[in-house]
Each structure stands twice: as C-alpha cells, then as structure tokens.
Amino acid sequence: MWDRLLVDCRIATFEGGGLGIVENGAIGIADGKIVRVGKRTELAGFRAREVVALGGAWVTPGLIDCHTHLVFGGTRADEHAMRRAGASYEEIAAAGGGIASTVKRTAAASDEQLLGQSRRRLRALMRGGCTTIEVKSGYGLDTDSELRLLRLAAQLGEGEAVSVVPTLLALHALPPDQRDRRAHYVSEIVDKLIPAAAEQGIATSVDAFCEGMAFTPEEVERLFKAAAHHGLPVRLHAEQLSNQRGAELAARYRALSADHLEHLDQTGAKAMAAAGTVAVLLPGAFYALQEQRKPPVDLLRKHQVPMAVATDCNPGTSPLLSPTLAINMACTLFGLTPEEAIAGMTINAARALGLAHNIGSIAAGKQADLCVWEVESLAELGYWIGLPGPARRIYNGADS
C-alpha cells in the first residue's frame, strides 16, 4: 500500500525534454519516493493510506536553487547605497568593500549567529518552493575557515525539510594580505584545502571565480586538476564581467556548470554543449549590478546547452530570496520562456548539481519533492512578479 496518492491535478513532469504534461493526473508516493505517475484513471486500482485531492492545481517538481552563497555574516546594504550613487563593483572592492567585507563579518560571527542568520534565508527560499538548495562556502578564504563554512552549510539543512548541497568555493577572492603572494595563496588552497575537504567528505563539488578581478584561468586550472585528482567535480563562475575563456576551461574539465556567462561567446557555448556543462543564469546579479550585457540565450539555445536559473543569493550582488522572482526575472530580463525558466529551476538545476537521477522531474523512483501551484496556467510562474510560493510544498513525500 502506498503512503499517499495525489489526485485531481495537472502535472508538469519535465520528463522527455519538455513540460511532460499529464492532465487529470495522479502521483503515487511511498517511502518518500514517487512510485507511479499517470492519469488518474490509470492509478485508480491502487490503494493508499491517504488520498489527497488537489482541486485541479498544477504540480511541478520541487524548485531547486542551484547557486547560492547562503552562509555569511552581516549584510552589504551600505554597498547597495554606494552602487546607487554610481560606484562600480570593482571600485567598491578596491575601497575595501565587496567580498572582503563579508569575510570579516563572517569571521567575527559565532557558529550560532551564522546558522541563525542563514537559516532565515534558507526558510525564505523554502517558502518560495525550494526543496533543494546549493550552498557555497567562499567567505573564509583560508583552509580552516572554508571547512568551517562547509560544515555550517551541512548543519543548516539538519532538521529542515530541504536538501542542502554544500559546494566548496575554493578560489573566490584573494585575501588583502596575499596580494603580493598570489602563487603562494593558490598553492595553499590547492595543496591543503582541496585534500582536506575531500578527506572529510563535506563538499559535493569545487567552484571558483574566474575573472580579471579574481583568479586567472591558469590559477583555476591548477584548482581543477587538484579537484579531479581527489574525485571532486567542478563548477565555475565564468564570463560574468569579461570573457576569460572560463567556459572553455570548465568544459575541458567536464564541469557540472558554468555560471553567469554574460560574456560567453560561440566557442565557449560549443565547448559547453560538447561537455554537457549546464549554463546557470543568474538574473538577480544582473539586476542588482545594473548590467547591460545579457547572457547570450539564443546562442545557448542554438547549441542546445541546458539552461538553469538560480537566485545567486549573496550579500553584495544578489540579495535575492525569492525563487519565483528569479523565474520571472529570467523571463523578463533574459528572454527565457516560462517553460525554459521553470525547467531552469527544476530539471536543469538538478543537472547543474549532478542530481538529475534523483530530483528535478516527476518520475517513478525519484524523490517525492513537489510543488502544488494554484494557478490556471504554468505561465503564471513567470508572469507574476514575486509570486509568494506554492500552495503546497511536498518534501520527501510529506507536506512541509
């Protein structure tokens, strides 16, 4: 006997390359897994301890935020004011702001304080429909501090109805005291942090920021080689402010994703397509930084590069806590269709995390992470500006 049978619903399974719509559908759930999906008439003979009639609502996979920097201390609201006054990203960083200021505030906060602040952000994303949330480190900038943030990211999900996926953002920013010792700093990260994270098993992947104001392709490649040696997949912040050929580098190492990509060119897009690397689009950062150059969505479509969408929740350049607003922004700012944007926070986000075998679509054998939306059309998820969230959020088979 199944635990639950959801009936009287329209289902967007995101199986088979499209919406995968099932009208008058039903979903059988047992032991936190989906056991059957189909027409209500096809499942009529099966018994369940609980039958839930959804009144014709739409059901999608639970939303997946595949790129966040959720664990940090304090805010950077003062920098928001500076930016409104005309200061650039680079100017703010040069004045001691940016990532370095968050590093200081994060170091000064206790574990309890960081968990408390981060949990509020986590729960906001959950209310918006997220059932899986990636959380990067990156505000420690040394081995012990980065490992601390990875442990806190894992703790963040404990006792919450959400899956947290910790990512080691190993090369995020150069510490001010290491500006004249770049090679030494990169060696410390490559030789100490990567082996320690791998040994402790607390990172699902390794990420870096490849940019003129951050780390060079050569430095990132050293990191990627170390990650590969220790069996850790890689991801990359690439082509956000300039074209550093980061997407091509990511593709050479079969990266799960390359993220931002405003300055991506055709060579990079082709390389990503050949490698199966997902393009993660981050409209919150584009909006907050008031960028003018959009990611080349038509180029990504042309080469059939899967496009994911994420909040990029972080204190400086994307203080975004609404996954539905990210979907809307992907449509209105970047020109994605509602179907593409929703796929971007379900099946393609799962691909960007290497988890498409278990989440991201509604299919037998996958985890029963679902969102129930009381809307007439799925296009409303991309239409409403900041839709509060689903009417019902189901994680691991249970309402949450």
Side-chain angles (χ1 to χ4, degrees), residues 3-181:
D3 296 327
R4 308 184 86 186
L5 179 61
L6 310 182
V7 299
D8 188 17
C9 56
R10 292 172 285 177
I11 307 168
T13 65
F14 286 92
E15 282 282 298
L19 287 172
I21 293 175
V22 179
E23 296 282 357
N24 192 22
I27 303 171
I29 298 170
D31 298 323
K33 297 284 187 181
I34 298 166
V35 291
R36 191 78 179 265
V37 183
K39 295 277 189 183
R40 183 173 182 176
T41 52
E42 297 170 357
L43 276 68
F46 294 92
R47 298 175 59 200
R49 294 181 180 88
E50 180 187 18
V51 178
V52 183
L54 297 177
W58 279 96
V59 180
T60 68
L63 301 185
I64 300 165
D65 197 344
C66 67
H67 182 132
T68 84
H69 304 251
L70 213 61
V71 179
F72 58 84
T75 72
R76 301 222 300 266
D78 54 338
E79 293 177 20
H80 173 77
M82 290 173 64
R83 195 170 290 115
R84 299 292 72 80
S88 70
Y89 188 9
E90 291 87 347
E91 288 168 343
I92 290 170
I99 293 167
S101 67
T102 295
V103 170
K104 290 179 183 177
R105 292 171 182 171
T106 301
S110 68
D111 287 1
E112 292 72 19
Q113 288 171 328
L114 284 178
L115 286 170
Q117 294 175 38
S118 302
R119 190 166 285 116
R120 290 193 289 273
R121 295 186 279 268
L122 181 83
R123 289 175 177 171
L125 293 173
M126 291 167 64
R127 286 193 296 272
C130 288
T131 51
T132 297
I133 300 171
E134 185 257 16
V135 178
K136 301 181 191 296
S137 66
Y139 294 123
L141 307 190
D142 62 59
T143 293
D144 290 342
S145 299
E146 290 295 316
L147 294 175
R148 175 200 182 206
L149 294 181
L150 285 175
R151 287 192 293 269
L152 289 175
Q155 288 178 40
L156 193 59
E158 293 175 2
E160 301 284 351
V162 67
S163 296
V164 170
V165 181
T167 294
L168 172 59
L169 181 46
L171 290 178
H172 192 195
L174 191 67
D177 64 353
Q178 297 293 314
R179 285 176 182 159
D180 296 326
R181 306 176 73 207

Side-chain angles (χ1 to χ4, degrees), residues 256-273:
L256 292 172
S257 72
D259 305 27
H260 288 290
L261 299 175
E262 281 85 342
H263 291 261
L264 180 73
D265 62 15
Q266 179 156 274
T267 303
K270 283 183 175 180
M272 290 176 64

Side-chain angles (χ1 to χ4, degrees), residues 27-30 32-34 358 366-370 394-398:
I27 303 171
I29 298 170
K33 297 284 187 181
I34 298 166
N358 192 47
K366 289 198 172 185
Q367 187 163 309
D369 293 350
L370 308 166
I394 298 170
Y395 173 73
N396 202 28

